Amino acid sequence: RWGVMEFFLKILGRICRQLALPVTCGSAHLGKNAGTAETPSALLRVVEKWKEAWLGNEVKQSQDFLLPVAVDDRSDHQDWILVSIVSSKPGAVLGDSAPLCVRVFDPGKRPTVAQRVADNLEVLIRGVRACTQPGTTQVEISSCPEARVASQRIVAAFGLLLCCVGKAAKESC
């Protein structure tokens, strides 16, 4: 399932670049690791070896980073949420010095999961600066459609991601 989503995320990323949208879509591969890493340093150890799955410079130049994130330890990852990271300063790019705002779209509304994922991604985007200024990232649990079955959450997360890209393109969802 996530392999199919990865394919569509690559296409969607290309569309965002072609339309010059201020949005970057992260890979499902990154989302699997960001959601299951217990600490930011564990995530960094994995991502530092990658050549293509993490495009940090592109993310820092965007105003919104959208990432479907797997939050279960199953090998086939069925429980997914959507994370949207924006600057707390409207219109600023993520590489700006303003604190980040991490919006988590989780049908289960799990605050500990939201905070762990936010911590992991903050360090990935901000690097050492996040370690020297902890607690500046604002975490919001945003409303989203109910998905009672974990296997439906991958579709819900991808659908929400499509709506976010549509809004950035000034299309109604």
Side-chain angles (χ1 to χ4, degrees), residues 109-121:
K109 299 186 182 350
R110 298 165 282 192
T112 55
V113 168
Q115 188 64 56
R116 179 174 46 82
V117 170
D119 291 345
N120 286 348
L121 293 173

Side-chain angles (χ1 to χ4, degrees), residues 29-140:
H29 190 62
L30 173 61
K32 287 188 333 176
N33 286 281
T36 57
E38 289 299 320
T39 64
S41 60
L43 177 61
L44 287 174
R45 279 192 299 276
V46 171
V47 173
E48 70 186 4
K49 299 173 189 167
W50 294 352
K51 291 183 173 79
E52 292 183 29
W54 170 239
L55 304 171
N57 289 332
E58 185 178 332
V59 170
K60 290 174 186 174
Q61 294 303 312
S62 68
Q63 294 176 11
D64 193 354
F65 177 50
L66 299 169
L67 183 67
V69 176
V71 294
D72 61 347
D73 289 329
R74 295 173 54 125
S75 61
D76 60 344
H77 298 291
Q78 292 187 1
D79 191 359
W80 291 77
I81 61 176
L82 176 65
V83 175
S84 167
I85 303 176
V86 297
S87 173
S88 62
K89 182 175 150 186
V93 295
L94 297 175
D96 188 57
S97 62
L100 297 176
C101 176
V102 179
R103 295 180 295 201
V104 178
F105 298 87
D106 176 11
K109 299 186 182 350
R110 298 165 282 192
T112 55
V113 168
Q115 188 64 56
R116 179 174 46 82
V117 170
D119 291 345
N120 286 348
L121 293 173
E122 178 188 23
V123 170
L124 192 60
I125 293 170
R126 293 287 170 88
V128 175
R129 183 171 48 173
C131 298
T132 60
Q133 300 172 346
T136 59
T137 296
Q138 177 184 350
V139 180
E140 297 176 3

